[in-house]
Every structure is written in C-alpha cells, then in structure tokens.
Amino acid sequence: MNRTQFLQDLIKQLSPKLDPTTYVYCTVPRAKYGELEKLKPIVSIAELEGLTLVIPLEQAQAEGLDYYRVFRRITLEGHSSLEALGLTSVVTSLLAERGITTNVIAGFYHDHMFVPSDRTDEAMEALKELASKPNG
C-alpha cells in the first residue's frame, strides 16, 4: 500500500469523539513532575519556564490558577500510529482553513486535539466531513 492510500485509510477511520470535560492550559513556575498530581492533569509538559498542565477547568478554578482560554478535547478514535505521516497536518490544516485553533497531542494509540470550546461543533462537523470524503 502506498503512503497516500495509507493516509486516506487513516482519515476514513478518524472517528472523532468529543470529551464532555472542558480543559485549560496552565503553567506552574518551578514545578516538577508529580508535585501537582492532585490536579489530575491529562497532559503535562516540562518547560524551562515551568510545568505546563492541561487540566479540567474546574480544577484550575478551585486552585486559583490562571489560564487563557477554555478548550474541549476531540479524540481521533481511529487507531493511529506515532509514525502516521501527514495525518496531523491534514487535520490541523482543515481546521486552520476554518480559523479554528488546534493544539494536538499524540498519544500512543490516538491523537487528541484541543480546540476552543466555542468552536467545538464546527470542528466536529469538519472532521466528520473529512472522514466521509478522505480524497477531498
């Protein structure tokens, strides 16, 4: 199977699923992994400036943490691969054409996209449309 056909097959299997939880990105200066487990982050990334966490909005509010914008997570449930060349580019380009900001985090089994909560319906519609017409 050639690379184009492989990518088209992945696109057909996108199966976007919307997580009902609202999330925010927060950063905690000088924090280390494990120190903030009580916040139940679904993502944490160590940066020079601090620990970036993706946590439920309610957790951030309860802890008094600053955040910029509220996001929802869309999981592409079709089994992906960490080596699936081009899938992230196709999906983010599609949403960018519609003016939808997308932060993608690749898990071992699935890609997870965080989109602004007020654009979730548009993003889901676009992804479902893409999956139904993988050739454009």
Side-chain angles (χ1 to χ4, degrees):
M1 176 183 305
N2 68 37
R3 195 178 338 191
T4 301
Q5 183 62 48
F6 179 68
L7 181 58
Q8 288 174 351
D9 288 347
L10 283 175
I11 292 169
K12 283 183 207 173
Q13 300 170 21
L14 282 180
S15 301
K17 182 178 179 188
L18 182 61
D19 183 336
T21 305
T22 53
Y23 294 96
V24 294
Y25 283 69
C26 298
T27 186
V28 182
R30 296 175 298 284
K32 304 273 187 274
Y33 278 115
E35 290 179 354
L36 302 167
E37 280 186 47
K38 69 178 182 169
L39 298 179
K40 298 179 175 52
I42 60 168
V43 176
S44 59
I45 301 170
E47 299 181 284
L48 292 177
E49 298 84 358
L51 188 62
T52 295
L53 305 171
V54 178
I55 60 176
L57 172 61
E58 291 177 359
Q59 290 284 359
Q61 290 172 331
E63 294 293 321
L65 295 173
D66 290 332
Y67 57 88
Y68 169 66
R69 196 170 189 181
V70 179
F71 293 87
R72 296 280 301 278
R73 174 172 62 164
I74 298 172
T75 298
L76 304 181
E77 292 210 321
H79 182 67
S80 186
S81 163
L82 292 173
E83 297 179 21
L85 187 63
L87 181 62
T88 302
S89 177
V90 167
V91 171
T92 57
S93 294
L94 171 76
L95 296 178
E97 288 171 8
R98 289 163 171 76
I100 302 172
T101 301
T102 309
N103 295 298
V104 179
I105 297 174
F108 189 83
Y109 293 104
H110 307 285
D111 289 333
H112 305 270
M113 303 180 334
F114 292 86
V115 299
S117 62
D118 60 340
R119 304 295 303 271
T120 303
D121 292 340
E122 292 170 80
M124 287 293 290
E125 184 179 308
L127 293 169
K128 288 176 182 177
E129 185 177 314
L130 174 65
S132 71
K133 300 175 189 170
N135 299 333

